[in-house]
Amino acid sequence: MGELKVLIDEKTLQDKIQELAETIMKDYEGKELTFICILKGSALFTVDLAKKIKNNVRFEFIRVSSYGDSTESSGKVTMKLDLQDSIEGRDVIIIEDIIDTGRTLSYLRDYLKDKNPASLKICTLLDKKERRIFDIEPDYTAFNIPDKFVVGYGLDDKENLRNLPYVGYYDI
Ligand code: IMP
Ligand code: MG
């Protein structure tokens, strides 16, 4: 692994999240929201986005895993932590850290649709569009990024570096 470089600095991240928050507030005027934070990667993004939103935001947490120890997809999505409360009739936004192949979100979208929310949208911090295999199109995207392995701001390298306030990558 080479040197850790900055891909998206802290100010650029926070400015874009503010913009996203304003768009979401317009789209959901007068409505209560439920954010489903996909652990662990989306924890920081979910919190920062929710703090910038004036609507009441309820939190749910889900943990799934589709990757083993490596960074390659093992192909199967398994539920590790399920919803705590019902989302029936609620306006739900799935908050994801990154969409890569789309496998995780295509599984989650179908799983959550079955719980009969009033509406279901997808908000992602990062999108690696060129890696897509599954048919997933997010409703809100903070940043489209090239096909690089990124870390920080929630994203890990074998559980490390999640607490970086910026998104970085290894220059090889
Ligand atoms: P997908 O199911 O292939 O779309 O993968 C999504 C999940 O893979 C994300 O929620 C991340 O946990 C992980 N992931 C994909 N790309 C990266 C990366 O560049 N850095 C860290 N984690 C990643
Ligand atoms: Mg991960």
Side-chain angles (χ1 to χ4, degrees):
M1 287 260 189
E3 198 193 333
L4 184 60
K5 294 232 170 120
V6 177
L7 183 65
I8 309 167
D9 66 42
E10 189 172 1
K11 174 151 192 336
T12 308
L13 269 177
Q14 295 300 329
D15 286 352
K16 189 72 197 183
I17 294 169
Q18 181 64 44
E19 232 177 77
L20 259 184
E22 280 158 24
T23 306
I24 291 172
M25 283 191 277
K26 259 189 217 138
D27 292 353
Y28 291 87
E29 218 183 312
K31 289 186 175 170
E32 183 174 78
L33 279 161
T34 299
F35 279 4
I36 300 187
C37 169
I38 312 305
L39 295 172
K40 299 173 185 175
S42 308
L44 279 67
F45 179 40
T46 301
V47 168
D48 282 347
L49 180 64
K51 284 197 287 187
K52 294 176 179 14
I53 286 179
K54 296 194 171 63
N55 309 46
N56 187 46
V57 180
R58 297 168 62 100
F59 284 4
E60 286 292 327
F61 299 91
I62 277 186
R63 184 160 184 221
V64 290
S65 95
S66 54
Y67 289 5
D69 297 334
S70 73
T71 55
E72 276 304 305
S73 179
S74 65
K76 203 174 169 289
V77 181
T78 45
M79 182 69 68
K80 298 239 161 155
L81 174 74
D82 207 339
L83 290 172
Q84 295 77 49
D85 294 311
S86 167
I87 57 164
E88 192 172 341
R90 300 206 175 272
D91 290 302
V92 173
I93 306 181
I94 305 172
I95 313 291
E96 180 60 301
D97 53 356
I98 187 165
I99 310 180
D100 186 23
T101 65
R103 176 178 280 113
T104 308
L105 274 177
S106 89
Y107 166 83
L108 275 177
R109 183 185 51 193
D110 294 348
Y111 179 79
L112 295 169
K113 258 192 191 155
D114 281 351
K115 310 277 180 195
N116 298 315
S119 64
L120 183 65
K121 284 194 186 180
I122 294 168
C123 175
T124 190
L125 177 72
L126 306 173
D127 192 349
K128 281 189 204 171
K129 278 207 187 305
E130 50 187 289
R131 293 263 306 163
R132 198 75 91 256
I133 297 170
F134 294 81
D135 182 23
I136 279 284
E137 194 52 53
D139 301 281
Y140 305 103
T141 303
F143 301 95
N144 285 298
I145 61 163
D147 181 13
K148 285 184 193 299
F149 188 77
V150 291
V151 294
Y153 198 65
L155 292 126
D156 71 305
D157 175 14
K158 299 186 182 72
E159 293 301 327
N160 299 314
L161 300 170
R162 290 194 197 272
N163 61 315
L164 296 178
Y166 60 88
V167 174
Y169 68 99
Y170 288 107
D171 198 18
I172 28 168

